[in-house]
Amino acid sequence: GAGVSQSPSNKVTEKGKDVELRCDPISGHTALYWYRQRLGQGLEFLIYFQGNSAPDKSGLPSDRFSAERTGESVSTLTIQRTQQEDSAVYLCASSNQGAGGTEAFFGQGTRLTVV
Amino acid sequence: AQSVAQPEDQVNVAEGNPLTVKCTYSVSGNPYLFWYVQYPNRGLQFLLKYITGDNLVKGSYGFEAEFNKSQTSFHLKKPSALVSDSALYFCAGFAGVTGGGNKLTFGTGTQLKVEL
């Protein structure tokens, strides 16, 4: 596809369940980001993948959160034992940052609601 | 550590008047700076970027931004605001290190409200 694709677009889950969010970046993009955005708020950085380097996990809020990326392709963000405060829109972005100075492209996000 | 700051949570302007949304940065080396816009219930859209060259960069929807190295600022501007410009605006940046490797850092966002 031409853009960053995220699935599902909406997810309603019960408290305590695990969820997995998927991001398909633009082909060839070396950098991939996950952000969380609560209603009406700014972007909260979660994790950053750049090529084959170790990911920057400094933004993950707790050990219930984890993310993986295989090579320069699909990434999954997993939230275990979901809590109501996890309710937010989770945004994924990719860029060809290795080329220097190129902008990040965002997906439409996954709206997670924990009930 | 690199950071990007947006000092105003909200900016109100009348339609037809010029608008400015402020951004300052603290990024090592030669910064790469970006502006994004987010309309209600939509993802983030890229507006414009500064990499090198002219300090005044032009982007989508008539927006422009001026890179000012001495003031470490990258304010977003538009000569004549439209009601349809009402949205959430984010400034972002990273250090221009060859080969990348620095993560993109966002400001906290500024809500722009353009009124008739």
Side-chain angles (χ1 to χ4, degrees):
Chain A
V4 178
S5 178
Q6 291 188 245
S7 60
S9 55
N10 281 284
K11 177 71 176 179
V12 179
T13 190
E14 292 182 349
K15 178 181 173 182
K17 300 284 189 183
D18 297 352
V19 295
E20 189 172 279
L21 312 180
R22 177 186 171 105
C23 173
D24 285 87
I26 293 172
S27 178
H29 279 191
T30 58
L32 186 146
Y33 299 84
W34 283 99
Y35 295 90
R36 178 167 70 178
Q37 187 177 30
R38 293 198 167 96
L39 186 63
Q41 302 297 311
L43 298 176
E44 180 183 358
F45 166 75
L46 296 178
I47 189 168
Y48 162 53
F49 297 90
Q50 170 59 34
N52 295 319
S53 301
D56 179 344
K57 303 179 180 180
S58 61
L60 295 177
S62 77
D63 59 7
R64 297 187 295 105
F65 288 73
S66 63
E68 294 183 348
R69 186 185 188 195
T70 305
E72 296 182 353
S73 61
V74 170
S75 176
T76 55
L77 176 69
T78 301
I79 308 174
Q80 296 178 310
R81 305 181 302 281
T82 52
Q83 304 294 314
Q84 287 185 330
E85 63 262 28
D86 299 335
S87 296
V89 175
Y90 289 81
L91 293 166
C92 175
S94 73
S95 76
N96 191 13
Q97 205 159 309
T102 57
E103 61 271 25
F105 294 84
F106 280 80
Q108 291 300 303
T110 293
R111 183 177 299 278
L112 176 66
T113 304
V114 182
V115 297
Chain B
Q2 58 189 33
S3 65
V4 174
Q6 294 179 246
E8 302 158 317
D9 291 335
Q10 181 159 325
V11 170
N12 297 322
V13 64
E15 187 174 55
N17 283 0
L19 70 86
T20 299
V21 182
K22 296 179 180 178
C23 172
T24 59
Y25 66 89
S26 174
V27 175
S28 60
N30 297 316
Y32 293 168
L33 299 166
F34 307 85
W35 276 101
Y36 287 83
V37 60
Q38 186 178 36
Y39 297 101
N41 300 314
R42 302 284 298 275
L44 271 76
Q45 297 178 34
F46 167 75
L47 271 181
L48 51 79
K49 65 182 177 183
Y50 171 82
I51 305 302
T52 186
D54 289 341
N55 290 339
L56 184 65
V57 293
K58 295 185 182 298
S60 307
Y61 312 122
F63 283 93
E64 57 188 30
E66 185 171 10
F67 172 70
N68 188 315
K69 189 170 184 177
S70 63
Q71 297 185 5
T72 62
S73 67
F74 188 58
H75 300 332
L76 181 70
K77 300 182 179 184
K78 187 173 182 181
S80 179
L82 299 172
V83 171
S84 57
D85 292 330
S86 299
L88 187 57
Y89 290 81
F90 291 98
C91 183
F94 68 90
V97 176
T98 301
N102 288 284
K103 69 174 181 256
L104 186 61
T105 300
F106 279 84
T108 51
T110 298
Q111 185 70 47
L112 173 66
K113 187 173 183 181
V114 182
E115 299 170 310
L116 291 170

XYZ file of all heavy atoms in Angstrom, chain B residues 14-104:
704
model
N -9.052 35.417 14.521
C -10.213 35.673 13.674
C -9.886 35.321 12.226
O -8.745 35.505 11.757
C -10.607 37.140 13.769
N -10.890 34.820 11.539
C -10.690 34.466 10.127
C -10.230 35.702 9.349
O -10.757 36.792 9.520
C -11.980 33.917 9.533
C -11.785 33.384 8.111
C -13.018 32.700 7.554
O -14.088 33.338 7.553
O -12.903 31.540 7.116
N -9.250 35.484 8.483
C -8.701 36.578 7.687
C -7.494 37.229 8.301
O -6.722 37.910 7.600
N -7.303 37.025 9.592
C -6.120 37.573 10.264
C -4.936 36.631 10.133
O -5.119 35.422 9.937
C -6.425 37.813 11.744
C -7.251 39.064 11.970
O -7.599 39.760 11.016
N -7.566 39.350 13.225
N -3.721 37.162 10.255
C -2.557 36.271 10.226
C -2.493 35.433 11.502
O -2.977 35.857 12.561
C -1.369 37.231 10.148
C -1.882 38.525 10.684
C -3.332 38.581 10.363
N -1.924 34.241 11.368
C -1.774 33.379 12.541
C -0.326 32.953 12.712
O 0.423 32.833 11.738
C -2.687 32.151 12.430
C -2.357 31.079 11.399
C -1.357 30.049 11.949
C -3.631 30.345 10.965
N 0.038 32.752 13.969
C 1.360 32.228 14.313
C 1.189 31.183 15.393
O 0.521 31.442 16.397
C 2.299 33.329 14.826
O 2.489 34.307 13.797
C 3.648 32.738 15.205
N 1.783 30.031 15.191
C 1.844 28.986 16.207
C 3.317 28.780 16.530
O 4.113 28.473 15.642
C 1.200 27.676 15.726
C 1.228 26.628 16.834
C -0.226 27.913 15.254
N 3.659 28.927 17.802
C 5.065 28.982 18.180
C 5.667 27.611 18.484
O 4.995 26.721 18.996
C 5.229 29.889 19.405
C 4.858 31.333 19.136
C 5.026 32.173 20.387
C 4.650 33.628 20.100
N 4.750 34.463 21.315
N 6.964 27.517 18.168
C 7.724 26.305 18.461
C 9.170 26.691 18.705
O 9.745 27.471 17.935
C 7.636 25.325 17.297
S 8.707 23.874 17.432
N 9.754 26.176 19.773
C 11.178 26.328 20.003
C 11.788 24.943 20.161
O 11.107 23.986 20.516
C 11.478 27.172 21.252
O 10.885 26.540 22.388
C 10.935 28.579 21.106
N 13.081 24.856 19.884
C 13.714 23.540 19.900
C 15.027 23.574 20.654
O 15.670 24.611 20.787
C 13.954 23.047 18.463
C 14.955 23.885 17.703
C 16.306 23.593 17.742
C 14.538 24.977 16.939
C 17.232 24.369 17.062
C 15.451 25.757 16.260
C 16.796 25.459 16.323
O 17.704 26.239 15.655
N 15.391 22.409 21.121
C 16.707 22.196 21.707
C 17.211 20.887 21.121
O 16.912 19.797 21.637
C 16.619 22.113 23.229
O 17.893 21.772 23.762
N 17.917 21.009 20.017
C 18.379 19.837 19.266
C 19.836 20.062 18.908
O 20.198 21.136 18.438
C 17.544 19.631 17.984
C 18.101 18.492 17.152
C 16.086 19.368 18.332
N 20.638 19.071 19.135
C 22.066 19.206 18.849
C 22.321 19.218 17.350
O 21.535 18.709 16.549
C 22.833 18.047 19.498
O 22.365 16.808 18.991
N 23.416 19.824 16.982
C 23.820 19.844 15.584
C 22.859 20.654 14.729
O 22.267 21.639 15.168
N 22.703 20.231 13.506
C 21.788 20.902 12.589
C 20.435 20.210 12.666
O 20.301 19.069 12.252
C 22.324 20.851 11.167
C 23.640 21.595 11.030
O 23.778 22.697 11.554
N 24.599 20.998 10.356
N 19.444 20.897 13.190
C 18.163 20.205 13.417
C 17.355 20.024 12.142
O 17.416 20.827 11.224
C 17.440 21.147 14.376
C 17.957 22.504 13.995
C 19.407 22.290 13.618
N 16.591 18.944 12.130
C 15.555 18.748 11.137
C 14.237 19.006 11.860
O 13.955 18.376 12.883
C 15.578 17.324 10.587
C 16.795 16.971 9.763
C 17.050 15.641 9.426
C 17.675 17.938 9.311
C 18.155 15.287 8.668
C 18.779 17.603 8.555
C 19.029 16.275 8.235
O 20.118 15.928 7.487
N 13.430 19.926 11.337
C 12.225 20.357 12.035
C 11.002 20.181 11.146
O 11.074 20.369 9.934
C 12.370 21.823 12.461
C 13.535 22.088 13.428
C 13.810 23.573 13.530
C 13.230 21.498 14.803
N 9.880 19.867 11.767
C 8.659 19.522 11.031
C 7.451 20.142 11.726
O 7.442 20.358 12.929
C 8.456 18.001 11.001
C 9.652 17.230 10.489
C 10.680 16.888 11.351
C 9.720 16.832 9.173
C 11.785 16.161 10.894
C 10.821 16.111 8.705
C 11.845 15.785 9.576
N 6.416 20.374 10.934
C 5.095 20.691 11.458
C 4.089 19.690 10.906
O 4.121 19.346 9.715
C 4.646 22.100 11.059
C 5.169 23.170 11.966
C 6.206 24.006 11.753
C 4.625 23.529 13.243
N 6.368 24.853 12.820
C 5.415 24.589 13.749
C 3.554 23.071 14.016
C 5.162 25.188 14.983
C 3.307 23.655 15.235
C 4.093 24.709 15.708
N 3.205 19.250 11.837
C 2.123 18.347 11.487
C 0.804 18.957 11.946
O 0.770 19.728 12.919
C 2.291 16.986 12.181
C 3.397 16.130 11.620
C 4.713 16.315 12.010
C 3.107 15.137 10.694
C 5.726 15.536 11.491
C 4.119 14.338 10.169
C 5.422 14.546 10.573
O 6.414 13.762 10.044
N -0.272 18.574 11.283
C -1.606 19.022 11.679
C -2.496 17.791 11.888
O -2.350 16.781 11.192
C -2.231 19.957 10.610
C -2.366 19.270 9.259
C -3.579 20.485 11.071
N -3.363 17.906 12.870
C -4.303 16.816 13.150
C -5.711 17.395 13.227
O -6.024 18.157 14.152
C -3.946 16.102 14.450
C -4.816 14.875 14.711
C -4.409 14.149 15.980
O -4.026 14.763 16.967
N -4.503 12.823 15.963
N -6.532 17.029 12.256
C -7.931 17.428 12.283
C -8.699 16.460 13.169
O -8.246 15.329 13.398
C -8.492 17.463 10.862
C -7.802 18.487 9.995
C -6.821 18.107 9.083
C -8.094 19.842 10.124
C -6.158 19.039 8.320
C -7.440 20.782 9.350
C -6.469 20.375 8.456
O -5.810 21.309 7.703
N -9.851 16.855 13.679
C -10.608 16.003 14.608
C -10.825 14.593 14.067
O -11.212 14.416 12.908
C -11.923 16.759 14.769
C -11.555 18.189 14.545
C -10.487 18.162 13.486
N -10.535 13.621 14.909
C -10.733 12.202 14.580
C -9.955 11.771 13.335
O -10.378 10.856 12.624
C -12.225 11.905 14.383
C -13.019 12.208 15.635
O -12.624 11.830 16.734
N -14.115 12.911 15.490
N -8.829 12.415 13.103
C -7.989 12.043 11.963
C -6.563 11.795 12.436
O -6.166 12.180 13.539
C -7.979 13.180 10.929
C -9.351 13.564 10.401
C -9.874 12.567 9.395
N -9.040 12.483 8.224
C -9.135 13.301 7.181
N -10.029 14.270 7.168
N -8.358 13.139 6.137
N -5.783 11.160 11.569
C -4.364 10.975 11.873
C -3.587 12.256 11.649
O -4.142 13.282 11.254
N -2.297 12.215 11.885
C -1.443 13.383 11.689
C -1.044 13.510 10.224
O -0.670 12.524 9.590
C -0.180 13.280 12.546
C -0.283 13.849 13.943
C -1.072 12.908 14.826
C 1.089 14.100 14.530
N -1.118 14.736 9.738
C -0.712 15.017 8.358
C 0.511 15.926 8.370
O 0.556 16.902 9.114
C -1.840 15.711 7.596
C -3.098 14.902 7.441
C -4.168 15.690 6.715
O -3.875 16.489 5.823
N -5.416 15.473 7.079
N 1.457 15.613 7.531
C 2.661 16.420 7.387
C 2.322 17.738 6.697
O 1.593 17.758 5.698
C 3.681 15.634 6.570
C 4.848 16.434 6.068
C 5.859 16.807 6.935
C 4.923 16.803 4.737
C 6.931 17.535 6.472
C 5.994 17.530 4.266
C 7.010 17.902 5.138
N 2.855 18.853 7.239
C 2.641 20.173 6.649
C 3.877 20.685 5.926
O 3.795 21.122 4.773
C 2.273 21.187 7.738
C 0.809 21.370 8.113
C 0.699 22.436 9.193
C -0.044 21.712 6.915
N 5.009 20.685 6.636
C 6.230 21.216 6.050
C 7.427 20.797 6.892
O 7.262 20.301 8.014
C 6.157 22.740 5.940
C 5.770 23.557 7.168
C 6.931 23.714 8.124
C 5.243 24.927 6.768
N 8.623 21.028 6.326
C 9.837 20.666 7.041
C 10.955 21.637 6.705
O 10.976 22.243 5.629
C 10.264 19.243 6.693
C 10.663 19.044 5.237
C 11.017 17.595 4.959
C 11.354 17.382 3.469
N 11.621 15.945 3.173
N 11.877 21.743 7.654
C 13.130 22.457 7.437
C 14.271 21.458 7.565
O 14.386 20.787 8.596
C 13.321 23.595 8.446
C 14.716 24.180 8.350
C 15.028 25.126 7.372
C 15.738 23.747 9.195
C 16.309 25.631 7.254
C 17.021 24.252 9.080
C 17.301 25.187 8.109
O 18.575 25.671 7.978
N 15.090 21.399 6.521
C 16.262 20.527 6.560
C 17.518 21.377 6.472
O 18.392 21.338 7.335
C 16.234 19.504 5.406
C 14.919 18.700 5.436
C 17.433 18.574 5.467
C 14.683 17.964 6.718
N 17.609 22.172 5.439
C 18.737 23.069 5.235
C 18.319 24.086 4.189
O 17.247 23.979 3.606
C 19.985 22.284 4.791
O 21.100 23.177 4.744
C 19.779 21.692 3.399
N 19.147 25.093 3.992
C 18.821 26.043 2.937
C 18.042 27.235 3.461
O 18.292 27.737 4.559
N 17.078 27.679 2.680
C 16.309 28.870 3.025
C 15.635 28.713 4.384
O 15.049 27.667 4.688
C 15.233 29.150 1.974
C 15.832 29.633 0.665
O 16.995 30.086 0.686
O 15.146 29.536 -0.358
N 15.702 29.781 5.163
C 15.106 29.739 6.495
C 13.588 29.751 6.445
O 12.922 29.325 7.391
C 15.610 30.908 7.340
C 17.065 30.744 7.711
O 17.606 29.645 7.688
N 17.711 31.837 8.042
N 13.021 30.270 5.379
C 11.567 30.301 5.241
C 11.146 29.128 4.357
O 11.540 29.044 3.196
C 11.117 31.628 4.628
C 9.612 31.829 4.517
C 8.977 31.904 5.907
C 9.294 33.096 3.716
N 10.371 28.249 4.919
C 9.911 27.083 4.152
C 8.402 27.166 3.981
O 7.685 27.605 4.878
C 10.286 25.761 4.842
C 11.789 25.584 4.839
C 9.757 25.687 6.247
N 7.954 26.757 2.828
C 6.522 26.797 2.517
C 5.982 25.381 2.450
O 6.683 24.452 2.018
C 6.287 27.518 1.191
C 6.685 28.996 1.248
C 6.330 29.712 -0.026
C 6.766 31.177 0.011
N 6.078 31.931 1.087
N 4.737 25.237 2.904
C 4.152 23.918 2.944
C 2.737 23.895 2.413
O 2.323 24.767 1.658
N 2.000 22.895 2.877
C 0.640 22.678 2.395
C -0.313 23.730 2.953
O -0.056 24.323 4.003
C 0.162 21.287 2.812
O 1.061 20.281 2.412
N -1.426 23.914 2.246
C -2.556 24.748 2.682
C -2.158 26.190 2.964
O -2.806 26.867 3.757
C -3.209 24.136 3.928
C -3.504 22.654 3.814
C -2.960 21.755 4.715
C -4.315 22.159 2.797
C -3.213 20.395 4.614
C -4.573 20.807 2.686
C -4.020 19.935 3.597
O -4.264 18.580 3.489
N -1.094 26.691 2.329
C -0.704 28.079 2.499
C 0.114 28.371 3.741
O 0.402 29.530 4.047
N 0.492 27.327 4.480
C 1.306 27.516 5.677
C 2.779 27.686 5.314
O 3.253 27.171 4.302
C 1.158 26.329 6.630
C -0.125 26.343 7.400
C -1.236 25.657 6.928
C -0.225 27.043 8.592
C -2.429 25.672 7.632
C -1.414 27.062 9.301
C -2.519 26.380 8.814
N 3.482 28.403 6.181
C 4.912 28.545 6.065
C 5.514 28.585 7.462
O 4.792 28.791 8.454
C 5.287 29.810 5.281
C 4.734 31.080 5.871
C 4.959 32.279 4.952
O 5.004 32.109 3.720
O 5.071 33.397 5.491
N 6.811 28.365 7.535
C 7.480 28.412 8.832
C 8.861 29.001 8.638
O 9.498 28.810 7.595
C 7.569 27.028 9.458
N 9.303 29.713 9.671
C 10.607 30.363 9.600
C 11.557 29.761 10.605
O 11.286 29.772 11.817
C 10.473 31.867 9.838
C 11.802 32.612 9.644
C 11.643 34.113 9.654
O 10.535 34.581 9.991
O 12.616 34.801 9.326
N 12.658 29.245 10.108
C 13.706 28.706 10.976
C 14.586 29.865 11.425
O 15.121 30.617 10.606
C 14.533 27.675 10.210
C 15.747 27.187 10.948
C 15.614 26.374 12.058
C 17.028 27.535 10.526
C 16.728 25.915 12.741
C 18.151 27.083 11.197
C 18.001 26.266 12.311
N 14.742 30.010 12.746
C 15.571 31.070 13.307
C 16.573 30.426 14.259
O 16.229 30.036 15.376
C 14.699 32.095 14.037
C 15.493 33.308 14.469
O 16.600 33.180 14.997
N 14.945 34.489 14.260
N 17.808 30.330 13.784
C 18.815 29.609 14.567
C 19.184 30.359 15.837
O 19.377 29.740 16.900
C 20.069 29.377 13.714
C 21.077 28.443 14.356
C 22.182 28.067 13.377
C 23.131 27.064 14.005
N 24.182 26.617 13.054
N 19.273 31.676 15.784
C 19.675 32.440 16.958
C 18.629 32.369 18.063
O 18.961 32.386 19.249
C 19.942 33.898 16.573
O 18.754 34.511 16.099
N 17.362 32.274 17.679
C 16.294 32.174 18.674
C 15.835 30.731 18.876
O 14.900 30.504 19.661
C 15.102 33.042 18.239
C 15.432 34.522 18.168
C 14.222 35.383 17.858
O 13.103 34.902 17.782
N 14.466 36.671 17.662
N 16.465 29.806 18.207
C 16.088 28.373 18.243
C 14.579 28.208 18.121
O 13.934 27.513 18.915
C 16.611 27.659 19.513
O 16.033 28.248 20.674
C 18.119 27.735 19.587
N 14.023 28.862 17.106
C 12.580 28.795 16.911
C 12.231 28.329 15.509
O 13.038 28.438 14.574
C 11.941 30.157 17.181
O 12.345 31.099 16.200
N 11.018 27.844 15.377
C 10.503 27.367 14.086
C 8.991 27.587 14.116
O 8.200 26.657 14.134
C 10.868 25.897 13.893
C 10.562 25.357 12.514
C 11.112 25.945 11.379
C 9.751 24.237 12.347
C 10.848 25.440 10.118
C 9.488 23.722 11.078
C 10.033 24.325 9.970
N 8.593 28.846 14.113
C 7.181 29.206 14.238
C 6.422 28.959 12.940
O 6.917 29.264 11.851
C 7.035 30.668 14.634
C 7.691 31.016 15.938
N 7.878 30.111 16.959
C 8.212 32.190 16.369
C 8.467 30.693 17.967
N 8.697 31.959 17.651
N 5.225 28.472 13.074
C 4.332 28.223 11.934
C 3.484 29.469 11.695
O 2.955 30.049 12.652
C 3.428 27.026 12.236
C 2.454 26.604 11.136
C 3.218 25.997 9.954
C 1.446 25.610 11.692
N 3.343 29.842 10.427
C 2.609 31.065 10.121
C 1.709 30.857 8.904
O 1.951 29.983 8.066
C 3.591 32.211 9.840
C 4.503 32.533 10.999
C 5.416 33.702 10.698
C 6.290 34.006 11.907
N 7.152 35.201 11.705
N 0.686 31.711 8.859
C -0.170 31.773 7.684
C -0.682 33.202 7.580
O -1.134 33.767 8.585
C -1.322 30.779 7.788
C -2.141 30.679 6.503
C -3.172 29.573 6.584
C -3.935 29.478 5.274
N -4.988 28.423 5.300
N -0.616 33.819 6.415
C -0.978 35.235 6.293
C -2.455 35.517 6.581
O -2.786 36.569 7.117
C -0.628 35.577 4.831
C 0.324 34.519 4.410
C -0.045 33.286 5.164
N -3.323 34.584 6.218
C -4.759 34.819 6.381
C -5.427 33.505 6.813
O -5.532 32.570 6.026
C -5.351 35.322 5.064
O -6.748 35.527 5.185
N -5.883 33.473 8.043
C -6.435 32.233 8.598
C -7.826 31.940 8.065
O -8.614 32.859 7.771
C -6.469 32.337 10.123
N -8.124 30.657 7.971
C -9.455 30.181 7.586
C -10.053 29.376 8.731
O -9.320 28.732 9.493
C -9.363 29.277 6.348
C -8.816 29.896 5.065
C -8.612 28.818 4.009
C -9.732 30.996 4.567
N -11.378 29.373 8.813
C -12.046 28.569 9.845
C -11.629 27.107 9.716
O -11.441 26.409 10.723
C -13.572 28.716 9.735
C -14.274 27.719 10.649
C -13.992 30.133 10.083
N -11.426 26.659 8.486
C -11.046 25.260 8.234
C -9.626 24.942 8.703
O -9.232 23.762 8.716
C -11.172 24.925 6.746
O -10.372 25.799 5.977
N -8.852 25.951 9.102
C -7.517 25.705 9.661
C -7.587 25.265 11.119
O -6.579 24.862 11.699
C -6.655 26.970 9.574
C -6.305 27.350 8.150
O -6.204 26.443 7.294
O -6.145 28.568 7.894
N -8.747 25.361 11.718
C -8.903 24.970 13.118
C -8.557 23.498 13.286
O -9.162 22.625 12.655
C -10.340 25.224 13.587
O -10.662 26.598 13.497
N -7.556 23.240 14.115
C -7.048 21.874 14.277
C -5.974 21.899 15.361
O -5.669 22.943 15.941
C -6.458 21.354 12.970
N -5.409 20.718 15.599
C -4.312 20.575 16.562
C -3.004 20.514 15.780
O -2.882 19.713 14.846
C -4.524 19.299 17.379
C -3.602 18.995 18.554
C -3.610 20.130 19.573
C -4.038 17.689 19.211
N -2.054 21.358 16.140
C -0.796 21.458 15.402
C 0.359 20.992 16.284
O 0.465 21.380 17.448
C -0.562 22.897 14.938
C -1.521 23.307 13.847
C -2.814 23.711 14.157
C -1.147 23.250 12.513
C -3.716 24.048 13.161
C -2.032 23.597 11.509
C -3.316 23.993 11.837
O -4.204 24.324 10.830
N 1.221 20.171 15.682
C 2.380 19.646 16.388
C 3.665 20.028 15.675
O 3.794 19.871 14.458
C 2.322 18.110 16.460
C 1.249 17.567 17.346
C 0.042 17.143 16.809
C 1.448 17.461 18.715
C -0.956 16.630 17.623
C 0.456 16.942 19.533
C -0.753 16.535 18.982
N 4.625 20.498 16.464
C 5.973 20.732 15.997
C 6.814 19.511 16.376
O 6.569 18.878 17.423
C 6.525 21.988 16.655
S 8.164 22.477 16.125
N 7.780 19.151 15.541
C 8.609 17.981 15.825
C 10.006 18.197 15.275
O 10.208 19.014 14.368
C 7.989 16.720 15.219
N 10.967 17.454 15.793
C 12.320 17.594 15.296
C 13.226 16.471 15.738
O 12.890 15.701 16.639
N 14.354 16.353 15.040
C 15.435 15.479 15.493
C 16.746 16.032 14.979
O 16.787 16.864 14.074
C 15.203 14.024 15.083
C 15.277 13.725 13.613
C 16.476 13.368 13.009
C 14.142 13.765 12.830
C 16.539 13.078 11.661
C 14.189 13.470 11.483
C 15.382 13.124 10.893
N 17.828 15.569 15.597
C 19.151 16.056 15.236
C 19.522 15.534 13.868
O 19.300 14.371 13.566
C 20.169 15.618 16.279
N 20.104 16.365 13.049
C 20.455 15.988 11.683
C 21.748 15.214 11.622
O 22.687 15.610 10.961
N 21.780 14.077 12.287
C 22.981 13.237 12.274
C 22.943 12.379 11.025
O 21.947 11.736 10.732
C 23.031 12.342 13.531
C 24.224 11.408 13.466
C 23.108 13.215 14.770
N 24.026 12.359 10.316
C 24.090 11.558 9.096
C 23.770 10.108 9.404
O 24.302 9.531 10.329
C 25.505 11.655 8.490
O 25.772 13.025 8.205
C 25.593 10.832 7.218
N 22.865 9.553 8.634
C 22.475 8.166 8.843
C 21.342 8.005 9.820
O 20.926 6.888 10.103
N 20.826 9.125 10.315
C 19.684 9.028 11.224
C 20.097 8.515 12.590
O 21.214 8.731 13.031
N 19.238 7.819 13.272
C 19.557 7.256 14.573
C 19.006 8.054 15.716
O 19.053 7.586 16.845
N 18.481 9.235 15.479
C 17.878 10.005 16.549
C 16.370 10.005 16.376
O 15.870 10.229 15.288
C 18.397 11.441 16.522
C 19.830 11.527 16.984
O 20.102 11.444 18.161
N 20.737 11.663 16.050
N 15.678 9.787 17.468
C 14.242 9.642 17.335
C 13.559 10.992 17.178
O 14.016 12.011 17.676
C 13.643 8.890 18.520
C 13.659 9.616 19.843
C 12.900 8.808 20.893
C 12.884 9.534 22.219
N 13.821 8.918 23.149
N 12.446 10.989 16.491
C 11.638 12.168 16.243
C 10.917 12.559 17.525
O 10.203 11.749 18.112
C 10.640 11.854 15.138
C 9.764 12.986 14.603
C 10.625 14.079 14.002
C 8.797 12.433 13.576
